[in-house]
Amino acid sequence: MKKLFSILKNRRMQYILIIWILLLKAVEITTNLLSEVELIRFFSVLGFSDLPGTSLAVWNTLFVATVFWLIYRLLRDVFQISFVPKPLSKKEMLSLAILLIWVISVVASSLQFASLVTMPLANPELEVSRYYAPFGMENGDSSQYVKLNNLEGNNVALDLSKSIFADPFSVYMSGEMSQYATNVGTSYFTVKNSSLGQKMIEMRFCGNGSDKIGGWFAYRVALQDPLQINENATLMLLLKLTPSSDETAWTYIKIDFLSKEGKAYALTWKFHDVFMNYVFSSHNGTRNNYLLGRATDWVFFNLT
Amino acid sequence: MNAIFYASFSRNPRCITSIEYGIGAEADNDITVQFLVAKISQQPLEINGMRIENVRPTIKLKDDHCIRLGGLSTIKLFVIVTSNIAEKNVGTQWSVIKISRIESYKWNTSGFKNMTEMKLFFAVISNSTKLLLNDNEILPNPQTQRQSYEINIEESQVVLIVANATDIYLMPVVVTSSILVFMLCLVIRKVPF
């Protein structure tokens, strides 16, 4: 213990300790900031946010004491300002020690209390849900209605991914397949029923196992009778993509158009298993590609 | 699509001649995509006059408590109602070396017997949080901050208690040192400073 105190009395050793504690604080602040960024969130494991409350309080007290000690050292060593305390009697020393212990304990306990009472609340929400069968679509009115009773003052939402639609696809008839880097017969395009009884299109890409080679499976339906479109024509998409092991998955829907001048153009809406959001033109400006971001949870688009 | 087509090519579309669906990834993957809707409609999906832009739209009910749907013919609509909290209390408790914050929430659910599903969602900040749901202790899922629990629809009320506690080992020091100072003052019969 005596040896430790003699080491700590050394001015150089004090500066080394102060710098180490300040560096640790800088690491803590940096990792906290990095954890806010999506791609480098893993840096947060280096942070101190997972420490128990008491340890955090001790660490913060140590940091504050270090800052005060640094100010004291700089005042003495750089600005040549020194404080010479008047000699204290034993009784005064005892009283001062008790006062210091009391102040530190009160500050630390108050900080712990403040951090507990200012913690975010659980903010619970109780959701009750059920299926409703809409009625309507009569006398030329193309709307359907659902009547909800006894729900005054409550928030109401719909979950489209659990709803069942009467005619959800415009085009799903027989078409041409094309594929690259797949296992023969394992990739497919099919229409099936979900476990909730929803009719859905399911597509699968099963690669041949090659790493670093981009494979694909596509299914194209050429329309014998082209679909005429008006000014309000809207493409509605409700889809979900399985994430890949290496963030390379994507899916798209490509629509070939004829313009009023009879020239061929195409629009492609592509969805990935990672965040992205941009547009680019290809095929000499006759195709526009819209990359609309992550679709690993159900997403809905109303594209007019 | 008219607007997107015009914005892309500065021309107006006449008709659609073909549609292609695609899926892909690096070839060491096996992935699927599901389309519940891939529909070209003569009007966008609208609910109570609002254009829908996400998979879980919030509905503003009018006085007649009606949901009006347009643009996509529906057989069954999954409707979710967030129930109002009947009672909410947040308080703190002190013991010798511990402070606790207790949150208590209560819902009356006797009117929901005709519903299909009842789920409780709430946030848990710390892994040491204690949770009581209808007097039964439940364990938080460490994988997710937003917890979800399915509740039997037959329950006539739901009570959730969330307790967070912190050890305050220095509090006894505060009390002891205060008593010591007081005793010291008595002994020397004057205030020490």
Side-chain angles (χ1 to χ4, degrees), chain A residues 27 106 115 130 173 205 265:
Chain A
V27 168
V106 165
S115 68
R130 61 167 281 200
M173 60 276 277
F205 164 76
Y265 292 92

Side-chain angles (χ1 to χ4, degrees), chain A residues 55-67:
Chain A
S55 307
L56 266 181
V58 170
W59 161 241
N60 286 327
T61 310
L62 180 68
F63 172 70
V64 171
T66 306
V67 170

Side-chain angles (χ1 to χ4, degrees), chain A residues 54 95 98 101-102 105 108 112-113 116-117 119-120 122-132 134 142-148 153-161 163-164 166-171 189 200-205 207-213 215-221 223 226-227 229-230 232-240 242 244-246 248-254 256-258 260 265-266 285 288 290 300 302 304, chain B residues 1-5 8-9 11-45 47 51-59 61 64-69 71-84 92 94 99 101 103 105 107 109 112 114-123 146 164 166-168 170-171 173-174 177-178 181 184 188 192-193:
Chain A
T54 311
S95 302
I98 293 172
I101 291 167
W102 185 84
S105 305
Q112 283 182 287
F113 177 73
L116 182 78
V117 295
M119 263 172 78
N123 286 327
E125 286 185 342
L126 183 72
E127 291 186 352
V128 283
S129 47
R130 61 167 281 200
Y131 281 104
Y132 283 86
S142 62
S143 296
Q144 289 179 297
Y145 298 88
V146 170
K147 179 88 174 162
L148 305 176
N154 294 308
N155 290 324
V156 177
L158 306 180
D159 190 340
L160 298 181
S161 70
S163 298
I164 302 174
D167 187 18
F169 317 121
S170 289
V171 175
F189 173 98
M200 67 179 187
I201 288 174
E202 185 172 279
M203 281 184 88
R204 180 186 180 196
F205 164 76
N208 61 11
S210 308
D211 192 13
K212 306 293 177 199
I213 290 179
W216 46 267
F217 176 85
Y219 191 84
R220 181 172 175 271
V221 180
L223 302 177
L227 276 171
I229 51 175
N230 66 12
N232 292 325
T234 302
L235 173 65
M236 287 181 254
L237 292 174
L238 175 53
L239 70 141
K240 185 181 177 181
T242 313
S244 62
S245 59
D246 44 17
T248 58
W250 47 262
T251 184
Y252 69 78
I253 182 162
K254 175 172 151 291
D256 292 318
F257 294 84
L258 282 181
K260 288 204 166 152
Y265 292 92
N288 248 34
Y290 291 85
F300 179 77
N302 237 342
T304 302
Chain B
M1 281 189 293
N2 204 73
I4 297 171
F5 191 92
S8 302
F9 309 115
R11 281 172 172 75
N12 286 310
R14 186 172 74 205
C15 60
I16 292 170
T17 56
S18 72
I19 293 180
E20 184 176 299
Y21 299 87
I23 182 170
E26 280 191 8
D28 53 350
N29 282 290
D30 181 358
I31 54 168
T32 55
V33 63
Q34 291 164 343
F35 288 88
L36 280 180
V37 176
K39 176 84 178 168
I40 296 159
S41 170
Q42 296 309 308
Q43 69 171 108
L45 176 60
I47 296 175
R51 187 188 167 97
I52 300 305
E53 303 286 358
N54 63 68
V55 75
R56 198 188 139 120
T58 303
I59 307 300
L61 287 180
D64 57 359
H65 291 99
C66 247
I67 298 175
R68 180 181 167 171
L69 297 136
L72 190 60
S73 180
T74 308
I75 297 170
K76 280 185 178 177
L77 194 63
F78 195 74
V79 179
I80 302 163
V81 177
T82 305
S83 176
N84 290 334
T92 48
W94 295 73
I99 334 169
R101 188 183 71 181
E103 301 166 58
Y105 305 91
W107 294 263
T109 55
F112 295 143
N114 62 343
M115 303 303 257
T116 314
E117 220 176 73
M118 181 151 63
K119 274 187 178 172
L120 183 64
F121 296 88
F122 55 91
R146 191 80 179 151
N164 284 290
T166 301
D167 293 328
I168 42 164
L170 292 175
M171 188 48 79
V173 179
V174 174
S177 54
S178 303
V181 169
L184 211 62
I188 61 174
F193 303 103

Side-chain angles (χ1 to χ4, degrees), chain A residues 24-89:
Chain A
L24 275 173
K25 191 68 184 172
V27 168
E28 183 197 350
I29 293 168
T30 312
T31 51
N32 272 346
L33 291 174
L34 291 177
S35 67
E36 300 294 321
V37 184
E38 176 71 21
L39 291 174
I40 46 176
R41 191 161 284 169
F42 60 90
F43 274 114
S44 64
V45 297
L46 299 172
F48 298 173
S49 54
D50 293 331
L51 285 179
T54 311
S55 307
L56 266 181
V58 170
W59 161 241
N60 286 327
T61 310
L62 180 68
F63 172 70
V64 171
T66 306
V67 170
F68 280 120
W69 192 250
L70 178 66
I71 293 167
Y72 168 74
R73 282 261 51 117
L74 290 176
L75 283 174
R76 281 199 68 169
D77 303 338
V78 179
F79 300 104
Q80 307 293 321
I81 301 168
S82 62
F83 306 96
V84 183
K86 70 167 194 177
L88 297 173
S89 68

